[in-house]
Amino acid sequence: MREALAGLTVRGRAFVAAGVTAVVCAVLLGQPALTRVGVLVLALPLVTALVLGRSRYRLALVRTASPSLVTAGQQARVTLSLSNEGRTPSGVLLLEDHVPYVLGTRPRFVLEGIGHGWHRQVGYQVRSDVRGRFEVGPMSVRVSDPFGLVELGRAFHTTSALTVTPRTVVLAPIPLGGSESGSGDNRPRAFATGSAEDVTVREYRRGDDLRRVHWPSSARVGELMVRREEQPWHSRATVFLDNRAAAHRGEGIASSLETAVSAAASVAVHLTRRGFAVRLVTAAGEDRASGWHERRADLSTAPLLEALAVLHPVEAPRLDTAWLGEAGHGGLVVAVLGAVQQHDAPVLRRMQSQHGSALALALDVDAWVGTGAGTAPATGLLAQQGWRVAGVGPRDRVEARWQELGAGARSAGRASTRRTTDVGS
């Protein structure tokens, strides 16, 4: 009852004041008829508050966000399905859904005519330029009586999750290292169009089909060798993202870290579409939750993109190296790096040596705060260790720098061809 009295609206309080005034005037003036009018006016909001306070509304809410995973800058629609499962009618419902400020303003709705079996759907749009996972809700409800005298607050405690993934750009196909992309057993090859001379072999392992034994190679090396018959979707690539706080500059969506995250997401999507199984590794190590992201998976629900959506800078001074000790991964590595220190050189050297091909996008992080010289400091160190590297500034387009990596590979290939020709001549 106390809650209901506290919920009296301006109209309800005016009725109470008018009723009390009428009763007082009736007593002072000796007008019994006015007393009855005053009691009626006073009783109406009090009885309404009593009834509304004891009523048990059974309002049901189902909230859905479609799609539940969107790219930064894209819109999602939140649909609210409300129904009255009780028998008590309501005059007006005032709805307000709580959403994080990055998704927009809080939507408000006014619904009328809520009776038994009532059902209604309403919706609104949300949009975020910031990646992350956000909780939409809870919903707060203001229940009013048909006369508008009392208004009570109710709340639904359920929320819905909306994941906003980083922005991605379309990257052009480029040579990813050597004649093919990948290495070892993970190298994709077009066996359907190749000749017998294109067959590559490896040592025999227990359980291999004996029909795959390559006898000429076995005779040459003195042990059993088998043909590699891997398919393009068996190729593996590691996307390494340096998310150390000390390696980046700037704040918010204009920081170098956000550019790095967007570049890593673009590379991961590009490699997946080219047939690679992609995993994400950060400065803290491999993200076990995302695992290997394969081509046959739906890109819109990729765990790897969800992991990038909630990635935060870490305070680790050094790069984690536990994942480098795992055997059998090899293949391609694409690193997106910020500021690199000298103590990072051994780790980067191991990364390059353990993979068949190593590419890097090195961010000139000082340029994000206006102190850079226009060239990423990591480029020289990486080039000395055998990486194919391209520098990225705050105004550079990632897709253009990615093509620069491909141009470097073609130039190296032409130089190698010239050296072979000179030796042959």
Side-chain angles (χ1 to χ4, degrees):
M1 182 63 181
R2 182 178 301 177
E3 180 188 4
L5 290 176
L8 287 172
T9 63
V10 174
R11 181 184 299 178
R13 295 177 188 274
F15 267 67
V16 171
V20 172
T21 302
V23 171
V24 172
C25 292
V27 172
L28 295 178
L29 299 176
Q31 297 291 332
L34 184 58
T35 302
R36 291 191 291 271
V37 173
V39 170
L40 178 62
V41 173
L42 177 61
L44 183 59
L46 297 180
V47 172
T48 301
L50 177 63
V51 173
L52 193 64
R54 293 191 173 185
S55 299
R56 293 294 181 265
Y57 290 97
R58 298 182 58 190
L59 298 176
L61 169 68
V62 177
R63 181 193 295 103
T64 56
S66 179
S68 60
L69 188 145
V70 296
T71 303
Q74 294 183 348
Q75 289 187 339
R77 180 171 181 81
V78 179
T79 302
L80 305 173
S81 180
L82 290 131
S83 59
N84 183 14
E85 299 178 353
R87 297 186 177 275
T88 304
S90 174
V92 178
L93 283 185
L94 307 177
L95 310 178
E96 181 181 25
D97 210 9
H98 295 256
V99 299
Y101 73 95
V102 296
L103 296 181
T105 58
R106 292 182 176 180
R108 295 180 175 88
F109 307 95
V110 179
L111 304 179
E112 298 180 305
I114 297 104
H116 175 62
W118 172 88
H119 181 78
R120 179 85 176 270
Q121 278 192 346
V122 294
Y124 60 92
Q125 302 283 347
V126 292
R127 178 180 179 273
S128 174
D129 291 324
V130 181
R131 63 182 176 85
R133 181 177 290 118
F134 307 101
E135 294 295 329
V136 180
M139 167 77 74
S140 61
V141 182
R142 303 291 295 178
V143 182
S144 176
D145 69 285
F147 303 103
L149 302 177
V150 182
E151 187 178 280
L152 299 180
R154 296 288 187 268
F156 295 94
H157 300 291
T158 58
T159 60
S160 299
L162 177 66
T163 302
V164 181
T165 61
R167 297 177 185 269
T168 59
V169 295
V170 178
L171 302 180
I174 64 171
L176 295 176
S179 60
E180 297 290 343
S181 54
S183 69
D185 289 346
N186 300 319
R187 179 174 58 188
R189 300 180 59 87
F191 284 100
T193 59
S195 64
E197 296 179 354
D198 296 327
V199 175
T200 58
V201 296
R202 59 167 172 81
E203 66 278 5
Y204 175 83
R205 297 171 186 169
R206 185 175 181 180
D208 286 339
D209 190 349
L210 292 177
R211 290 175 294 182
R212 294 175 54 193
V213 173
H214 192 254
W215 297 109
S217 298
S218 300
R220 184 169 59 253
V221 301
E223 60 178 309
L224 287 179
M225 306 293 290
V226 296
R227 293 185 299 271
R228 292 169 174 163
E229 297 181 355
E230 60 282 0
Q231 299 297 325
W233 52 82
H234 290 163
S235 56
R236 291 184 170 184
T238 298
V239 176
F240 177 83
L241 174 60
D242 185 0
N243 63 323
R244 293 175 298 175
H248 293 278
R249 307 289 185 270
E251 297 181 356
I253 61 175
S255 66
S256 62
L257 176 61
E258 292 304 311
T259 300
V261 171
S262 177
S266 301
V267 171
V269 172
H270 172 75
L271 294 178
T272 302
R273 289 173 176 169
R274 288 193 63 176
F276 284 85
V278 182
R279 65 168 174 169
L280 174 66
V281 178
T282 66
E286 183 179 0
D287 184 359
R288 299 288 184 179
S290 63
W292 289 97
H293 179 69
E294 298 185 5
R295 183 178 185 177
R296 59 177 175 269
D298 184 2
L299 288 175
S300 65
T301 57
L304 187 147
L305 293 179
E306 293 186 46
L308 286 172
V310 297
L311 182 137
H312 297 288
V314 296
E315 299 297 333
R318 296 180 179 272
L319 300 173
D320 180 82
T321 59
W323 63 279
L324 287 173
E326 300 176 5
H329 285 167
L332 170 71
V333 61
V334 180
V336 182
L337 304 170
V340 175
Q341 306 297 329
Q342 285 298 326
H343 58 72
D344 298 324
V347 180
L348 297 174
R349 188 178 302 111
R350 287 182 59 190
M351 290 172 57
Q352 191 276 336
S353 62
Q354 291 188 13
H355 294 81
S357 182
L359 289 72
L361 294 172
L363 275 63
D364 181 9
V365 295
D366 289 334
W368 261 261
V369 291
T371 61
T375 303
T379 54
L381 176 63
L382 291 168
Q384 292 175 1
Q385 296 181 354
W387 289 74
R388 284 163 48 196
V389 58
V392 180
R395 297 185 179 182
D396 292 334
R397 298 177 59 186
V398 173
E399 54 269 41
R401 294 306 184 187
W402 177 257
Q403 288 184 317
E404 182 180 315
L405 289 175
R410 286 188 288 268
S411 298
R414 287 193 295 268
S416 176
T417 301
R418 287 195 297 270
R419 287 193 300 269
T420 302
T421 303
D422 293 339
V423 172
S425 60

